[in-house]
């Protein structure tokens, strides 16, 4: 509820692990953006077992929109996003990273598309209209391309599954999140695949994105785990495919987002 007692129309989940340094600035930016919307919005910060002041900052945060703390002791970004999405109640939901690497101006186009009936709207750094600054280490960039080539058939042709800026019809997101079994960084694939199996088209929008120092993802530490998770996701997707409607292709509306 906002200060006037109105239920939020939009809830944004922010997964956070040891984000005490970056979280205050991120919440300030996100709160300012949401406060300017013509309807109530709220933020759900998911503390993913942090050992610093992340939870305390979220719990005590006072800003222009409500911020609620959810605790998720199971480590992994996928576990945190799952817990956050399942804690939402709004008709429109989404998630973004605590570092706000994706420019929030893209949210305007996202919300227009959601209101127009697009059930899944995701930011893509590989969209031709995106502006991307310092897209990380070359090895990580090549790894991301290979990763997405391996799973495009599962996610309706999305070329950038790992951009941390995704929005959904609320009921669809909660149903898909309830199926998530991937706790690590490959969770986006399983989440999008669950939406596609339900017949939801995925719409990609351009974003402004910058590589913010402090990412918890490491090519060396996490690549093997991601490949293992992708194998498990494929197996689960194969078992579910017979029960799902045929996937619909992604759409890329001209001029959507802020680019």
């Amino acid at each position: 509820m906002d200060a006037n007692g109105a239920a939020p129309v939009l809830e944004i989940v922010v997964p956070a692990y040891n984000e005490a340094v970056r979280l205050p600035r991120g919440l300030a930016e996100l709160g300012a953006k949401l406060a300017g919307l013509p309807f109530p919005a709220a933020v759900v910060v998911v503390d993913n077992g942090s050992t610093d002041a992340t939870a305390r900052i979220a719990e005590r945060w006072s800003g222009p929109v409500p911020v609620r703390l959810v605790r998720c002791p199971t480590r992994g970004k996928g576990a945190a996003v799952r817990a956050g999405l399942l804690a939402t109640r709004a008709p429109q939901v989404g998630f973004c990273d605590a570092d706000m690497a994706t420019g929030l101006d893209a949210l305007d186009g996202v919300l227009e598309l959601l209101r127009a009936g697009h059930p899944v709207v995701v930011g893509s750094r590989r969209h031709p209209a995106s502006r991307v600054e310092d897209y990380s280490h070359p090895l990580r960039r090549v790894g991301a391309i290979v990763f997405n080539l391996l799973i495009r058939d599962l996610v309706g042709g999305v070329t950038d599954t790992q951009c941390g800026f995704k929005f959904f019809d609320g009921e669809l997101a909660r149903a898909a999140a309830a199926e998530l079994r991937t706790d690590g960084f490959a969770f986006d694939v399983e989440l999008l695949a669950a939406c596609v199996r339900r017949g939801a088209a995925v719409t990609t929008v351009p974003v402004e994105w910058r590589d913010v120092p402090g990412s918890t993802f490491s090519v060396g530490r996490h690549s093997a785990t991601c490949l293992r998770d992708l194998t498990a996701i494929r197996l689960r997707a194969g078992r579910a495919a017979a029960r799902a409607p045929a996937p619909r292709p992604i759409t890329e509306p001209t001029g959507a987002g802020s680019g």
Side-chain angles (χ1 to χ4, degrees), residues 6-46:
V9 173
L10 170 69
E11 289 179 282
I12 297 183
V13 172
V14 179
Y17 171 67
N18 286 348
E19 289 285 4
V21 173
R22 301 192 297 185
L23 186 60
R25 178 176 178 179
L27 287 179
E29 291 181 7
L30 186 56
K33 180 65 178 180
L34 297 182
L37 297 178
F39 49 77
V43 177
V44 178
V45 174
V46 182

Side-chain angles (χ1 to χ4, degrees), residues 13-86:
V13 172
V14 179
Y17 171 67
N18 286 348
E19 289 285 4
V21 173
R22 301 192 297 185
L23 186 60
R25 178 176 178 179
L27 287 179
E29 291 181 7
L30 186 56
K33 180 65 178 180
L34 297 182
L37 297 178
F39 49 77
V43 177
V44 178
V45 174
V46 182
D47 174 42
N48 195 205
S50 300
T51 57
D52 64 3
T54 294
R56 185 164 65 252
I57 290 169
E59 203 165 30
R60 299 179 180 179
W61 188 261
S62 178
V65 299
V67 173
R68 177 163 53 106
L69 174 67
V70 170
R71 297 181 186 271
C72 176
T74 303
R75 286 289 305 279
K77 188 176 179 182
V81 170
R82 178 180 187 273
L85 290 176
L86 291 178

